[in-house]
Amino acid sequence: MPSPLLAPLFGSTAMEAVFSDRETIAAMLRFEAALAAVEAEAGVIPKAAVTSIAKACAGGPIDPAALAAAAGVAGNTAIPLVKMLTAKVAAADAEAAKWVHYGATSQDVMDSGLVLQLKAAFDVLDADLARAAKAAARLARIYRDTPMAGRTWLQQALPITFGLKMAGVLDALMRHRERLGEARPRVLVLQLGGAAGTLASLGDKGPEVADRLATALGLAFADTPWHGHRDRILEAAALFAGIAVTCGKLARDVALLMQTEVGEVMEPAAPGRGGSSTMPHKRNPMLSATILGAANLAPQLLAAVAAGGAGEHERFTGGWQAEWLALPELARLAGGALHRAAELLEGLEVRPERMRANLGLTDGLLMAEAVQMALAPALGRLAAHDLIEAACRKAVAEGRGLLDVLAEDSVIAGAASRDELAGLLDPARYLGAAGEFVDRVLARYAGM
């Protein structure tokens, strides 16, 4: 359940507004007002009823606390909401009150209201994805050729560039924007099926009303009511979880690179951020920590949505109800994580001098593969590998630089001079296609 105390820490103002209680109620009321209007257009209900229903839907909001108390008894929010709305309409027009929620069922109003909120949530995420991508593209461009240690299994592996690391972030962010666009016509779909998915309550007007209602609400049409098939909701949940996890990956790397012994980047500074209640010198990765908190929770919430999708027949017992908690919370966490990731990228402090210094920590060991690959044509790949591996072990055991150990080996010295070996141990000369990969991503970004 969202906490007013923690919402500013883990959420974003825009996403909190989308999934606030008042907006949840407002989305359901938009459904009810539009339903009445299109049913009148189709000749299902009297046109005279529409104005009173629309006024009641747009009038003073239904009290969330009263609705919550009633929902605890009714089992969902739609049943008491329709009763309260009907009472509001009846107070002004008793005849119009007969036509409130006509032919629909609770799940129609709740699912379609949720889809309206998802539509707004997708817009919020798309804006922050664009913002984060712009910042990542800037970093990739500036640091395209800045060497740093690539790390595997938390150990230095081979040199890469910071630009390549940021291009990887940008690439992932662009894929999420593509997924959002691809998901819109599949996910942002009206749900209107009546009691069991046949719309029998509307006679032969059911499909017409559904099509008119989808148009009125700006949603896609559904060939069949989808209340019993939750793949659309699951797709939205997977999108939210994926965005949170991508932001978590960025945050994990930043937190590791901020370690005192590494010091290659720093989160953007701000008054009151990242300090310690007892240690004045601390500058903790607080943005990264809250992003990672969201990323750690997202898979469990996604699992809850996925498990609930295997429900019973035309109306679920328990699985649908689990979505009410899991999906909005997933959206909140994804929105908060992404908002903070954009802030992180925009203000990230990059320290190329520390990257250069850390490249030399192993006194040449980082470049062992470069020497191996250069000697492989003359010695054979396996023979070169074994020679270089033995030299690395000797360098570590004796506390010596790899260049000195390599140069004194007669077999290696016969294949490469000391100056040639020194060149092979230069990290800037063993960056492979890093620059080309960065350029490819930036070119695609420029074309979006």
Side-chain angles (χ1 to χ4, degrees), residues 105-138:
T105 194
S106 298
Q107 192 159 356
D108 293 333
V109 63
M110 292 184 68
D111 278 352
S112 293
L114 174 63
V115 171
L116 290 172
Q117 290 176 283
L118 289 176
K119 185 178 182 181
F122 281 12
D123 290 341
V124 169
L125 290 174
D126 191 59
D128 272 339
L129 282 169
R131 177 185 162 202
K134 180 180 180 181
R138 172 181 169 274

Side-chain angles (χ1 to χ4, degrees), residues 107-190:
Q107 192 159 356
D108 293 333
V109 63
M110 292 184 68
D111 278 352
S112 293
L114 174 63
V115 171
L116 290 172
Q117 290 176 283
L118 289 176
K119 185 178 182 181
F122 281 12
D123 290 341
V124 169
L125 290 174
D126 191 59
D128 272 339
L129 282 169
R131 177 185 162 202
K134 180 180 180 181
R138 172 181 169 274
L139 292 170
R141 191 177 300 110
I142 291 173
Y143 298 103
R144 176 189 186 274
D145 301 313
T146 302
M148 66 178 295
R151 296 167 172 93
T152 61
W153 292 55
L154 295 176
Q155 306 292 311
Q156 287 197 3
L158 291 174
I160 62 170
T161 67
F162 189 67
L164 179 62
K165 185 177 280 287
M166 290 298 100
V169 174
L170 173 59
D171 207 10
L173 293 171
M174 289 194 294
R175 288 194 297 273
H176 284 308
R177 289 198 77 187
E178 290 169 358
R179 291 185 186 103
L180 274 179
E182 292 162 358
R184 286 178 184 272
R186 287 193 298 268
V187 174
L188 305 182
V189 177
L190 175 77

Side-chain angles (χ1 to χ4, degrees), residues 37-364:
V38 301
E39 285 181 333
E41 292 170 4
V44 174
I45 70 172
K47 291 184 178 181
V50 174
T51 300
S52 296
I53 294 173
K55 283 183 178 178
C57 289
I62 288 174
D63 179 27
L67 181 61
V73 177
N76 66 49
T77 54
I79 294 172
L81 179 135
V82 171
K83 288 183 177 179
M84 293 176 181
L85 175 60
T86 302
K88 287 181 67 177
V89 174
D93 186 344
E95 184 61 27
K98 298 176 182 179
W99 305 103
V100 173
H101 193 67
Y102 192 80
T105 194
S106 298
Q107 192 159 356
D108 293 333
V109 63
M110 292 184 68
D111 278 352
S112 293
L114 174 63
V115 171
L116 290 172
Q117 290 176 283
L118 289 176
K119 185 178 182 181
F122 281 12
D123 290 341
V124 169
L125 290 174
D126 191 59
D128 272 339
L129 282 169
R131 177 185 162 202
K134 180 180 180 181
R138 172 181 169 274
L139 292 170
R141 191 177 300 110
I142 291 173
Y143 298 103
R144 176 189 186 274
D145 301 313
T146 302
M148 66 178 295
R151 296 167 172 93
T152 61
W153 292 55
L154 295 176
Q155 306 292 311
Q156 287 197 3
L158 291 174
I160 62 170
T161 67
F162 189 67
L164 179 62
K165 185 177 280 287
M166 290 298 100
V169 174
L170 173 59
D171 207 10
L173 293 171
M174 289 194 294
R175 288 194 297 273
H176 284 308
R177 289 198 77 187
E178 290 169 358
R179 291 185 186 103
L180 274 179
E182 292 162 358
R184 286 178 184 272
R186 287 193 298 268
V187 174
L188 305 182
V189 177
L190 175 77
Q191 161 55 32
L192 183 67
T198 65
L199 280 180
S201 56
L202 298 181
D204 61 358
K205 296 288 189 177
E208 179 186 351
V209 168
D211 290 349
R212 286 177 179 272
L213 183 55
T215 299
L217 292 174
L219 301 177
F221 303 101
D223 289 332
T224 63
W226 50 268
H227 54 281
H229 295 276
R230 311 307 289 175
D231 58 288
R232 289 183 169 94
I233 300 302
L234 179 57
E235 183 171 0
L239 278 168
F240 297 152
I243 289 170
V245 169
T246 291
C247 294
K249 159 63 178 167
L250 167 67
R252 183 82 67 189
D253 282 359
V254 168
L256 290 171
L257 293 174
M258 276 184 68
Q259 291 180 105
T260 305
E261 295 81 4
V262 181
E264 294 180 0
V265 303
M266 296 294 285
E267 285 190 358
R273 173 185 289 159
S276 164
S277 62
T278 184
M279 295 174 284
H281 69 283
K282 291 297 290 296
R283 187 171 169 184
N284 295 318
M286 296 309 298
L287 282 173
S288 296
T290 52
I291 293 170
L292 283 165
N296 289 342
L297 286 170
Q300 285 72 37
L301 292 166
L302 174 59
V305 175
E312 312 86 3
H313 300 302
E314 280 63 55
R315 195 80 67 202
F316 295 3
T317 304
W320 180 48
Q321 288 76 7
E323 292 174 7
W324 305 345
L325 298 175
L327 191 66
E329 192 62 17
L330 254 177
R332 289 187 178 97
L333 291 171
L338 181 57
H339 194 73
R340 280 158 184 76
E343 181 182 357
L344 178 60
L345 289 165
E346 287 172 341
L348 192 68
E349 297 178 22
V350 183
R351 299 180 171 181
E353 71 284 356
R354 286 294 299 165
M355 294 176 181
R356 286 193 296 271
N358 289 335
L359 283 168
L361 284 179
T362 63
D363 208 355

Side-chain angles (χ1 to χ4, degrees), residues 387-402:
L387 276 172
I388 305 306
E389 182 180 38
C392 290
R393 292 184 184 279
K394 184 176 182 180
V396 172
E398 297 178 1
R400 302 168 62 196
L402 182 60

Side-chain angles (χ1 to χ4, degrees), residues 379-434:
L379 304 179
R381 193 205 65 82
L382 185 58
H385 175 276
D386 291 346
L387 276 172
I388 305 306
E389 182 180 38
C392 290
R393 292 184 184 279
K394 184 176 182 180
V396 172
E398 297 178 1
R400 302 168 62 196
L402 182 60
L403 176 59
D404 291 336
V405 176
L406 291 172
E408 69 185 22
D409 184 286
S410 59
V411 177
I412 295 173
S417 69
R418 184 182 180 91
D419 286 346
E420 288 172 331
L421 291 170
L424 292 172
L425 294 178
D426 179 2
R429 294 174 59 179
Y430 198 68
L431 296 173

